[in-house]
Amino acid sequence: MNGINSRLGAYICARESNVRQLGLIDGWLLTFLVWGDGIAELAMYIFQNDPEPITESEYKKLKKGKREPRPDWGLRYEVMPDAEAATVARRRADRAHIRDTIKRAPLDASLPFKPAREGDGRSMDDVWQALVERMNRGTILCWLDLRAIESVLEDAAAEFDGEDVAIPVVRMLVDWIRVELLELHEKLITMYGQECELPEPSPEHVGAMKSIAHWPGEDTPVNITLSLVEDEVRRAMRSDDERDSEP
């Protein structure tokens, strides 16, 4: 009982901190969603309602090659006299600046599907994807530890005729972590497009938690947790086809 509340309890506090960090990542991703939605609406409005300016002479050249020329970004041109060429150049520069700003925004966050393309690791879409993967990995890792901890608490309760040996603050942390991880998992599926599952820990993982609590007769070294959890997380993040093909 002392080992669970003093030793494993400290480990639970560390996991609580990790889950709170995952919540911060979730908040960051939600900001990206709001940002991407606003930028997508702005881009659509400009594309549909703001014609690209062009001089009469330039437009005539385009008409020779195409009957109804259209700009790269927009539905139509706004033909202006050659005498207003300076105004045309200024407005084009403004549109180019706006378009470049839109391209740097996390537009993938607003799409129902993610286009398959190579990123350079610097765009907001690449940051979005990195944060989603980090949240996915962290949620699985913390869930594995939570289920191992819950298993230890269940075994401890069995030694005390069903009485919960965790003091209120420890039990409160365990219950809070469970609720938060389930919410994060739901968001990963419904909002961030991740087909992830919450796996159960291996017996060795549970043994590692018991070792932290100095469970009587449990000789599993504590440092097994790091490599052990890494293997479990990697397996959980694989696709169903990849797991089924394992020997």
Side-chain angles (χ1 to χ4, degrees), residues 113-149:
F113 60 91
K114 303 296 180 287
R117 59 184 178 83
E118 293 295 329
D120 59 8
R122 293 175 294 179
S123 72
M124 287 297 100
D125 290 336
D126 293 321
V127 175
W128 161 272
Q129 190 58 41
L131 289 173
V132 170
E133 291 176 0
R134 183 175 176 184
M135 179 175 164
N136 187 8
R137 184 181 185 84
T139 299
I140 294 173
L141 188 152
C142 290
W143 177 261
L144 284 166
D145 265 3
L146 171 68
R147 290 297 298 128
I149 290 168

Side-chain angles (χ1 to χ4, degrees), residues 148-212:
I149 290 168
E150 288 179 334
S151 179
V152 173
L153 293 177
E154 291 170 4
D155 289 348
E159 298 289 335
F160 286 80
D161 297 327
E163 195 72 27
D164 187 3
V165 301
I167 59 177
V169 66
V170 171
R171 173 53 63 182
M172 179 186 68
L173 287 177
V174 172
D175 293 342
W176 179 87
I177 290 172
R178 165 175 276 274
V179 171
E180 289 295 311
L181 289 178
L182 289 175
E183 289 183 359
L184 291 173
H185 178 246
E186 182 178 1
K187 287 183 177 180
L188 281 166
I189 296 174
T190 60
M191 298 177 64
Y192 305 139
Q194 298 296 298
E195 296 181 2
C196 61
E197 63 179 39
L198 294 177
E200 289 297 307
S202 65
E204 291 81 10
H205 194 156
V206 176
M209 292 298 108
K210 287 185 175 181
S211 177
I212 293 174

Side-chain angles (χ1 to χ4, degrees), residues 17-30 131 184:
S17 176
N18 296 144
V19 175
R20 290 191 182 277
Q21 290 175 352
L22 293 174
L24 293 176
I25 294 176
D26 178 42
W28 197 347
L29 290 170
L30 290 175
L131 289 173
L184 291 173

Side-chain angles (χ1 to χ4, degrees), residues 2-3 22 24 30 32 38 45 62 64 102 108 110-111 131 140 144 147 191 197-198 229 231 234:
N2 289 336
L22 293 174
L24 293 176
L30 290 175
F32 273 23
Y45 177 85
L62 292 178
K64 293 179 180 179
I102 290 173
D108 278 6
S110 302
L111 299 177
L131 289 173
I140 294 173
L144 284 166
R147 290 297 298 128
M191 298 177 64
E197 63 179 39
L198 294 177
V229 174
D231 290 340
R234 278 195 294 269

